[in-house]
């Protein structure tokens, strides 16, 4: 087993991975940018070393700096977390060249699933259902493309072959938009990924996003750890994730799981990965893409299967067999996750930066908070806005929803604006409670904020706060004009509504 | 006894602190229209505490910024702007029971009264400048100037007494 593992990441995932490593008796070695010098993840490590600079491209994306630190400090393996270098096959190769194990799939498997056109072809050949579409290599023959689009049917979605995160993606509703959309998507893909190839496939407007956690090892084992539904999204970012999915029954679960394992085997996938599917209103499912890494939402699976996925990643990377078999895995109860982000729902989810003055996560049985911040942390402009993940487990979905509401109501974050109240309104939404969700949910529907009943008490607290700080400033017993006018951003903004474009 | 005016949801509310001395909790009286309610506030930290109201206890947390206050109670965030007396746009009333104090750090521009002068409620007493904004500090109630403790051009801290009142009448 490894003795020293470097975590090439920051925030909650770096802290979460460190905790598992340390509990396995492995030293956790961290890296940090200038802005993160006092970050929570740095103090969670056994040792941490600086990556000079602030932007991601100066720091957490600098594979060369990270490998140099790993060498100098005698690291056996690197855990990439998610994002940053986690799906960078070239980085994985350079780790191998330096004699360091990359905790993740092989570079060949990463490349196999990273090219969406190639992956779609390989998985279709392995019997994984895919959406009807066109994956032609050339956009030169305009008539061929138009004919193909007619065959597929509108609306259709143009995507980048090397894509991700919504870049190089265009929704095409009618024929006259086809050519300009393909050209625009291709330009965007070229500049974002250095690869202008695009393809298109049928667009499913009311589809649900259901993904399957897969795990393979170097001994030929591959299993699925059931599904997660992540249909509630905003601009392709997942907001609420759960397992099991309210629409997946035992038969669909088995069929999706087996399809995902066939996909894993098609590329000899060893380590944790996720096969994403869309499920339409008829319960038919179609392959979307593979994420060749640990997902943000992996704790949802951990809570229903009772296994630590990071520990399993480390064991598999060290050459051990998978610590579970398909027959030994069970999905018990229901788990749900929300992402606590520093963003302002009243201002179209604009990121909020600043110092976290108060941070009090909820604590109770069956509530897990994976935090990337603590009181006193600075939320900077350099990295994404996720502060923490709140995950709950319940015996069933209704218990999870009630527990999530309870936990969100007690989660105190002051200093930056967060989406906590929005999330609480979301889990109280009647459609969410009934499991009526699809990927366009937040585009089509506004979520009504919950009533805030204690304005008068808040006014008194505001007065106390003024009085207290003024007393401290002047050492006087009495204070003069403390006048507070209440502003209500939620009311001003009306109901929360995601931007529709 | 100290009283403050807060505007919550567009409705003015008077918040009056009963003199507590060293005793905890502090008792506040909230008046809104003809409604009157007493609440007890027990402080648990510099910006946190408990409010006892009619059998329920609420935890609160607050953060004070330069010109605003954000309060957390029972899962909701409430934002308050500190009103600048005399600032354009919003009409606010300062409720004050003794002495005129600087509401924020700044420079005294003008002092419009002298010791012994009688003044009426709302009469401008001192003009201050802070963060490039001019503020008129007006008398909260009628009274007589007991002493002027500032002069034009002087830099003052928040809470500094600018004008001492000889007699205090309850608003």
């Amino acid at each position: 087993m490894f003795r020293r593992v470097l975590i090439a990441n920051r925030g909650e995932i770096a802290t979460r991975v460190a905790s598992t490593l340390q509990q396995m008796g492995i030293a956790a070695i961290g890296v940090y940018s200038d802005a993160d010098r006092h970050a929570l993840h740095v103090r969670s490590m056994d040792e941490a070393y600086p990556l000079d600079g602030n932007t991601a491209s100066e720091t957490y994306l600098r594979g060369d700096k990270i490998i140099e630190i790993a060498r100098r400090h005698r690291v056996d393996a690197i855990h990439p977390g998610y994002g940053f270098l986690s799906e960078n096959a070239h980085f994985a190769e350079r780790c191998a060249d330096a004699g360091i194990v990359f905790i993740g799939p092989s570079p060949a498997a990463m490349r196999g699933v990273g090219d969406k056109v190639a992956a779609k072809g390989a998985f279709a050949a392995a019997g994984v259902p895919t959406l009807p579409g066109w994956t032609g290599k050339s956009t030169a023959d305009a008539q061929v493309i138009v004919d193909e689009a007619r065959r597929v049917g509108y609306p259709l979605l143009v995507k980048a072959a090397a894509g991700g995160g919504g870049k190089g993606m265009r929704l095409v509703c009618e024929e006259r938009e086809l050519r300009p959309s393909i050209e625009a998507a291709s330009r965007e893909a070229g500049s974002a990924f250095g690869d202008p190839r695009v393809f298109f496939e049928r667009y499913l407007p009311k589809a649900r996003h259901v993904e399957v956690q897969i795990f393979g090892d170097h001994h030929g084992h591959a299993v699925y750890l059931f599904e997660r539904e992540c249909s509630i999204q905003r601009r392709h970012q997942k907001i609420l994730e759960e397992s099991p999915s309210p629409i997946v029954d035992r038969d669909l679960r088995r069929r999706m799981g087996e399809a995902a394992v066939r996909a894993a085997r098609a590329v000899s996938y060893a380590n944790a990965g996720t096969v994403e599917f869309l499920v339409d209103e008829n319960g038919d499912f179609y392959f979307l893409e593979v994420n060749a890494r640990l997902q943000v939402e992996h704790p949802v699976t951990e809570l229903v299967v009772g296994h630590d996925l990071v520990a399993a990643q480390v064991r598999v990377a060290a050459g051990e067999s998978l610590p579970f078999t398909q027959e030994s895995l069970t999905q018990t109860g229901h788990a749900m996750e929300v992402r606590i982000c520093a963003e302002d729902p009243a201002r179209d989810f604009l990121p909020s930066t600043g110092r976290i003055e108060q941070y009090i996560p909820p604590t109770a049985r069956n509530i897990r908070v994976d935090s990337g911040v603590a009181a006193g942390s600075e939320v900077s402009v350099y990295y994404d806005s996720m502060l923490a993940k709140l995950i709950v487990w319940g015996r069933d979905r209704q218990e999870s929803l009630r527990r999530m509401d309870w936990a969100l109501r007690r989660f105190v974050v002051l200093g930056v604006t967060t989406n906590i109240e929005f999330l609480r309104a979301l889990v109280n939404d009647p459609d969410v409670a009934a499991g009526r969700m699809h990927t366009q949910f937040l585009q089509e529907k506004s979520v009504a904020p919950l009533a805030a009943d204690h304005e008068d008490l808040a006014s008194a607290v505001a007065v106390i706060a003024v009085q207290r700080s003024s007393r401290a400033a002047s050492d006087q017993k009495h204070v003069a004009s403390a006048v507070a006018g209440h502003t209500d951003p939620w009311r001003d903004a009306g109901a929360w509504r995601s931007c529709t474009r | 006894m100290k009283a403050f005016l807060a505007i919550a949801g567009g409705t003015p509310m008077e918040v009056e602190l009963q003199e507590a001395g060293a005793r905890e909790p502090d008792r506040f009286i909230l008046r809104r229209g003809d409604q009157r309610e007493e609440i007890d506030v027990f402080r648990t930290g510099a910006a946190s505490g408990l409010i006892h109201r009619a059998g329920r206890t609420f935890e609160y947390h607050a953060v004070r910024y330069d010109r605003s206050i954000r309060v957390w109670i029972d899962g909701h965030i409430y934002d308050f702007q500190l009103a600048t007396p005399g600032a354009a746009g919003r009409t606010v009333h300062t409720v004050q029971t003794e002495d005129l104090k600087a509401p924020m750090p700044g420079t005294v521009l003008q002092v419009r009264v002298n010791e012994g002068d009688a003044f009426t409620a709302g009469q401008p007493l001192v003009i201050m400048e802070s963060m490039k904004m001019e503020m008129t500090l007006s008398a909260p109630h009628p009274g007589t100037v007991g002493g002027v403790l500032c002069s034009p051009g002087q830099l003052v801290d928040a809470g500094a007494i600018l004008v001492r009142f000889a007699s205090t009448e309850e608003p």
Side-chain angles (χ1 to χ4, degrees):
Chain A
M1 183 47 68
F2 308 125
R3 293 179 57 240
R4 296 165 61 80
V5 171
L6 184 145
I7 301 164
N9 217 301
R10 63 179 303 283
E12 67 84 21
I13 192 62
T15 304
R16 183 256 170 278
V17 172
S19 117
T20 286
L21 291 174
Q22 289 160 343
Q23 289 170 43
M24 294 174 80
I26 299 168
I29 316 300
V31 288
Y32 59 90
S33 67
D34 292 344
D36 277 344
R37 182 167 297 139
H38 306 295
L40 181 66
H41 83 267
V42 177
R43 70 187 97 141
S44 309
M45 303 293 163
D46 294 283
E47 299 162 33
Y49 299 100
L51 298 164
D52 298 329
N54 277 318
T55 62
S57 56
E58 288 169 345
T59 57
Y60 300 104
L61 285 170
R62 281 290 295 274
D64 57 337
K65 283 188 189 177
I66 288 165
I67 288 174
E68 175 52 34
I69 289 169
R71 267 196 175 131
R72 201 180 322 136
H73 298 285
R74 304 176 324 281
V75 157
D76 306 309
I78 293 181
H79 193 297
Y82 51 71
F84 297 125
L85 295 165
S86 62
E87 293 177 274
N88 186 320
H90 182 59
F91 175 71
E93 280 165 352
R94 282 194 288 169
C95 288
D97 294 345
I100 297 165
V101 175
F102 176 86
I103 301 176
S106 68
M110 265 194 252
R111 290 207 168 92
V113 300
D115 183 326
K116 291 183 176 177
V117 170
K120 190 176 175 180
F123 295 160
V128 179
T130 58
L131 283 165
W134 171 78
T135 53
K137 286 177 177 58
S138 162
T139 56
D141 190 341
Q143 194 51 49
V144 171
I145 295 170
V146 168
D147 290 345
E148 287 293 314
R150 281 184 191 154
R151 179 182 62 78
V152 170
Y154 293 91
L156 51 82
L157 200 60
V158 180
K159 297 177 178 179
K167 287 203 183 75
M169 209 182 269
R170 285 287 186 289
L171 178 64
V172 182
C173 295
E174 46 189 291
E175 196 167 290
R176 64 182 176 81
E177 298 170 354
L178 182 64
R179 194 169 181 88
S181 296
I182 286 176
E183 286 167 358
S186 179
R187 275 196 306 274
E188 212 169 284
S191 66
F193 312 111
D195 180 352
R197 288 177 305 138
V198 295
F199 65 106
F200 60 72
E201 52 192 21
R202 184 177 294 161
Y203 175 69
L204 302 177
K206 295 276 183 189
R208 300 171 72 119
H209 177 113
V210 180
E211 59 189 31
V212 176
Q213 176 72 51
I214 53 165
F215 227 118
D217 66 15
H218 299 290
H219 305 280
H221 304 113
V223 300
Y224 62 91
L225 291 86
F226 314 108
E227 81 283 8
R228 293 183 291 258
E229 175 157 1
C230 320
S231 294
I232 303 289
Q233 304 184 354
R234 212 188 136 266
R235 294 187 185 163
H236 307 288
Q237 291 290 313
K238 296 161 188 167
I239 289 179
L240 188 148
E241 300 114 340
E242 61 183 304
S243 180
S245 158
I247 53 143
V248 174
D249 62 17
R250 184 183 300 229
D251 175 59
L252 181 58
R253 179 168 301 122
R254 185 185 50 75
R255 287 189 289 124
M256 291 181 78
E258 287 174 0
V261 168
R262 282 198 296 279
R265 290 195 185 281
V267 291
S268 304
Y269 197 97
N271 217 289
T274 295
V275 184
E276 297 187 336
F277 295 101
L278 288 176
V279 180
D280 69 12
E281 287 156 307
N282 307 319
D284 291 325
F285 64 94
Y286 303 96
F287 168 74
L288 195 59
E289 64 181 53
V290 174
N291 296 131
R293 56 177 154 81
L294 190 70
Q295 298 268 96
V296 174
E297 59 271 26
H298 75 275
V300 162
T301 297
E302 292 184 325
L303 293 194
V304 291
V305 302
H307 287 280
D308 181 331
L309 296 190
V310 172
Q313 282 192 294
V314 173
R315 293 190 190 289
V316 164
E320 294 184 13
S321 279
L322 274 180
F324 31 72
T325 61
Q326 193 65 62
E327 294 68 36
S328 74
L329 288 167
T330 52
Q331 194 180 23
T332 306
H334 180 274
M336 181 175 278
E337 174 183 282
V338 292
R339 303 183 185 192
I340 311 294
C341 296
E343 59 187 24
D344 189 348
R347 294 190 179 84
D348 195 26
F349 296 87
L350 206 69
S352 170
T353 59
R355 185 185 139 94
I356 296 185
E357 302 290 344
Q358 300 244 26
Y359 185 79
I360 310 171
T363 52
R365 204 168 128 77
N366 295 321
I367 292 175
R368 165 173 165 182
V369 183
D370 285 11
S371 292
V373 296
S377 293
E378 290 285 341
V379 180
S380 75
V381 295
Y382 300 110
Y383 317 109
D384 80 42
S385 64
M386 195 171 81
L387 305 179
K389 303 184 305 207
L390 170 59
I391 314 105
V392 301
W393 183 90
R395 280 171 301 182
D396 55 34
R397 191 168 186 269
Q398 289 310 310
E399 190 176 300
S400 285
L401 283 164
R402 283 195 300 274
R403 187 161 286 137
M404 185 63 88
D405 174 67
W406 186 94
L408 285 166
R409 184 171 167 187
R410 281 155 185 83
F411 205 138
V412 183
V413 181
L414 284 173
V416 295
T417 300
T418 73
N419 61 345
I420 290 174
E421 284 185 69
F422 168 78
L423 293 171
R424 198 171 153 228
L426 187 66
V427 299
N428 281 284
D429 182 272
D431 286 328
V432 172
R436 289 188 296 265
M437 306 172 292
H438 55 83
T439 55
Q440 299 303 304
F441 185 87
L442 289 176
Q443 272 69 42
E444 291 180 3
K445 174 177 173 127
S446 55
V447 179
L450 299 176
D453 302 331
H454 306 298
E455 216 164 46
D456 50 349
L457 296 183
S459 312
V461 171
V463 164
I464 294 164
V466 173
Q467 185 223 353
R468 294 279 289 176
S469 54
S470 302
R471 179 185 291 180
S474 61
D475 196 33
Q476 293 291 324
K477 280 257 179 209
H478 306 287
V479 71
S481 53
V483 181
H486 185 224
T487 58
D488 188 344
W490 320 127
R491 178 170 304 155
D492 294 347
W496 287 297
R497 177 175 278 283
S498 184
C499 191
T500 315
R501 340 214 109 128
Chain B
M1 188 179 292
K2 286 168 288 184
F4 304 86
L5 194 91
I7 299 165
T11 314
M13 183 175 71
E14 191 184 87
V15 181
E16 184 185 296
L17 171 62
Q18 303 248 287
E19 205 53 72
R23 180 174 60 85
E24 287 269 27
D26 290 332
R27 173 152 299 176
F28 285 79
I29 298 165
L30 309 181
R31 288 195 194 85
R32 200 171 196 173
D34 52 7
Q35 291 181 328
R36 181 183 185 280
E37 187 184 10
E38 290 187 6
I39 57 168
D40 286 335
V41 177
F42 182 83
R43 289 164 189 155
T44 57
S48 303
L50 302 171
I51 302 175
H52 304 287
R53 163 198 244 179
R56 284 188 73 182
T57 298
F58 296 94
E59 187 179 321
Y60 75 79
H61 301 277
V63 56
R64 169 84 199 265
Y65 297 100
D66 195 26
R67 301 300 300 149
S68 65
I69 296 161
R70 173 165 283 190
V71 178
W72 182 97
I73 294 179
D74 196 26
H76 289 286
I77 297 281
Y78 302 85
D79 281 315
F80 294 87
Q81 301 296 326
L82 280 183
T84 305
R90 192 199 297 266
T91 307
V92 291
H93 310 282
T94 59
V95 178
Q96 171 177 326
T97 54
E98 60 186 62
D99 301 339
L100 185 73
K101 294 179 189 174
M104 57 194 297
T107 311
V108 176
L109 296 181
Q110 289 178 33
V111 183
R112 297 205 171 168
V113 285
N114 295 304
E115 190 175 336
D117 286 356
F119 53 83
T120 57
Q123 182 179 333
L125 303 180
V126 174
I127 317 272
M128 270 186 72
E129 187 197 64
S130 184
M131 297 175 76
K132 314 241 181 240
M133 278 199 325
E134 207 172 287
M135 289 181 290
T136 303
L137 307 182
S138 304
H141 51 77
T144 309
V145 176
V148 174
L149 280 72
C150 64
S151 53
Q154 188 182 340
L155 273 169
V156 294
D157 287 331
I161 301 174
L162 306 176
V163 175
R164 202 178 280 290
F165 300 152
S167 62
T168 296
E169 293 172 29
E170 292 304 321

